[in-house]
Each structure stands twice: as structure tokens, then as C-alpha cells.
């Protein structure tokens, strides 16, 4: 059983701006600790303000590896003005667009984890196109459309090393959750049907899969 994060790390996670519940965060941290034993980087798609990054960075620090997090920091569909998850505090007043990068950097600084994280600022498919390093963990928590969820899966799942973990957030099987979780759910099914990944744990909307075969 993976150790839980220290109280100060959990407190930093709970204080950070974001949407991941604590139970799912603990499951993510446990997966990251397990994956860290492979000695490979841990990568997150969808940074927002760094709430879940804290947990990946803590696990990476303990394992002596690096956490990477990919985001364009302009917000996903449901975070734009007029939508349910919009936060006016994340808007850059100079340009009128969302910019979560400054908040993310403050989040990591407050948690004392800056040196354990590399922030990749850009669109996930563009970054994935030139990525060539095996990864111990890929955490998909980006856009919730089929286009974005599939692009994240196709771009990053091939880099999960043998025995590494693919973690998918916001997996909601119910049709009424079409906007918030059906695209991640379809990606989750795709991963299982590929024969490349085997499910190892379920915590609410968080699914942890292990690479046990080739391909995606």
C-alpha cells in the first residue's frame, strides 16, 4: 500500500484552486508513488492551477524523478466565461483571456515543490508530437470533448512504459454526464479494449490502468 502524502502536502492540495476531490487525489498520489518506482517521469495533461500537480510532484520528489505537466493555461471549454466552472480570478485583465499559469506557479511555490516540476506550456497534441521519452505515469485530465480526450490519449498513451500507469480523470459512465465525463469514459473504454491496459483501481471518477500489453 502506497504511503499517504504528508499532512503539509495534503493541506497544500486542499488549499489549491481546482476541482479534484480529496479521495481521488489520494488515489492519484498512490498511483504516482507506485509509478515512481520505475524511475521514469510522471506526466499530467491538464494543469489548471496545479492542485493535482502538487500530488504528482510530491511523489516524484520521493522517487527522485521529475513531474511534468502540460497545459496551454487558457482554460478548457467549461472554464470559459459564462460556463459553470469559470473563475473570474483566472482572467488576465490585460488581454481578457484566462491565464492560469501565474496561479499555478504560486501554488507550486507555496507547496515548496517548484524544483520538482517542469511546466510544459502549450497544447497537448503539439507537445506530444515531439515527445520521445518513456513515462512511468500519464494522467489525462484535460479537455472533456471527444476531440481533446482522444487527442490526449493518442498523443501520450504510447509513451507509458511497460508496467507504467495510465490514469484517467472524470470518467462518468452515465449518459446524463455527457458534457463532463462521457468523453473521458469513452477513452477509458478504448484503453481497456486496446488490450494494452488493464484496470487496477477505481476511485469515484478516477481510473488507474496499467500497461500490460503493446499499442494503444
Amino acid at each position: 500500500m502506497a504511503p499517504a502524502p504528508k499532512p503539509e502536502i495534503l493541506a497544500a492540495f486542499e488549499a489549491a484552486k481546482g476541482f479534484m476531490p480529496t479521495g481521488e487525489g489520494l488515489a492519484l498520489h498512490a498511483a504516482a508513488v507506485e509509478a515512481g518506482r520505475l524511475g521514469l517521469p510522471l506526466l499530467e495533461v491538464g494543469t489548471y492551477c496545479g492542485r493535482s500537480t502538487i500530488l504528482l510532484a510530491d511523489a516524484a520528489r520521493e522517487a527522485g524523478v521529475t513531474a511534468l505537466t502540460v497545459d496551454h493555461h487558457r482554460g478548457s471549454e467549461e472554464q470559459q466565461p459564462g460556463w459553470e466552472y469559470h473563475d473570474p480570478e483566472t482572467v488576465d485583465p490585460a488581454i481578457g483571456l484566462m491565464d492560469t499559469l501565474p496561479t499555478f506557479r504560486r501554488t507550486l511555490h507555496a507547496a515548496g515543490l517548484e524544483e520538482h516540476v517542469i511546466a510544459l506550456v502549450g497544447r497537448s497534441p503539439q507537445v506530444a508530437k515531439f515527445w520521445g521519452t518513456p513515462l512511468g505515469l500519464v494522467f489525462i485530465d484535460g479537455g472533456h470533448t471527444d476531440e481533446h480526450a482522444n487527442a490526449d490519449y493518442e498523443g501520450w498513451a504510447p509513451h507509458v512504459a511497460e508496467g507504467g500507469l495510465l490514469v484517467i480523470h472524470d470518467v462518468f459512465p452515465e449518459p446524463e454526464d455527457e458534457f463532463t465525463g462521457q468523453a473521458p469514459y469513452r477513452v477509458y473504454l478504448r484503453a481497456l479494449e486496446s488490450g494494452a491496459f488493464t484496470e487496477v483501481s477505481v476511485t469515484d471518477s478516477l481510473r488507474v490502468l496499467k500497461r500490460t500489453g503493446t499499442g494503444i
Side-chain angles (χ1 to χ4, degrees):
M1 185 174 178
K6 295 180 176 66
E8 61 270 23
I9 294 296
L10 189 58
F13 164 79
E14 292 179 334
K17 193 186 292 289
F19 309 105
M20 175 172 277
T22 299
E24 294 179 351
L26 292 173
L28 174 64
H29 184 268
V33 169
E34 178 186 338
R37 296 181 183 127
L38 295 175
L40 297 170
L42 314 176
L43 183 137
E44 167 185 57
V45 180
T47 313
Y48 190 52
C49 297
R51 184 177 171 96
S52 54
T53 315
I54 289 172
L55 302 176
L56 294 181
D58 180 63
R61 173 175 60 183
E62 293 301 314
V65 301
T66 299
L68 306 129
T69 185
V70 183
D71 202 310
H72 49 67
H73 287 280
R74 295 298 188 203
S76 57
E77 305 82 12
E78 68 274 15
Q79 294 162 0
Q80 300 307 316
W83 291 89
E84 180 182 358
Y85 294 102
H86 178 64
D87 183 344
E89 291 183 356
T90 64
V91 175
D92 180 346
I95 62 173
L97 297 175
M98 285 183 63
D99 184 3
T100 54
L101 184 58
T103 306
F104 161 71
R105 296 203 68 179
R106 288 193 292 270
T107 297
L108 281 192
H109 177 76
L113 292 166
E114 281 186 294
E115 65 186 273
H116 303 286
V117 179
I118 295 174
L120 301 166
V121 182
R123 296 191 175 275
S124 167
Q126 289 178 300
V127 179
K129 195 172 290 185
F130 64 78
W131 193 261
T133 302
L135 299 166
L137 177 144
V138 167
F139 174 41
I140 296 179
D141 192 22
H144 288 64
T145 64
D146 282 299
E147 176 189 1
H148 290 135
N150 277 294
D152 291 340
Y153 177 73
E154 291 166 5
W156 294 106
H159 300 294
V160 177
E162 175 67 27
L165 299 179
L166 174 68
V167 184
I168 306 173
H169 193 218
D170 292 328
V171 174
F172 293 105
E174 297 79 13
E176 59 266 28
D177 293 315
E178 173 63 34
F179 187 71
T180 55
Q182 283 277 285
Y185 175 61
R186 286 188 280 270
V187 164
Y188 156 74
L189 293 179
R190 179 179 174 183
L192 290 178
E193 290 163 2
S194 73
F197 295 97
T198 302
E199 184 171 88
V200 294
S201 77
V202 174
T203 304
D204 298 326
S205 77
L206 192 83
R207 303 291 189 274
V208 180
L209 314 178
K210 178 175 285 189
R211 179 176 285 287
T212 53
T214 58
I216 63 167

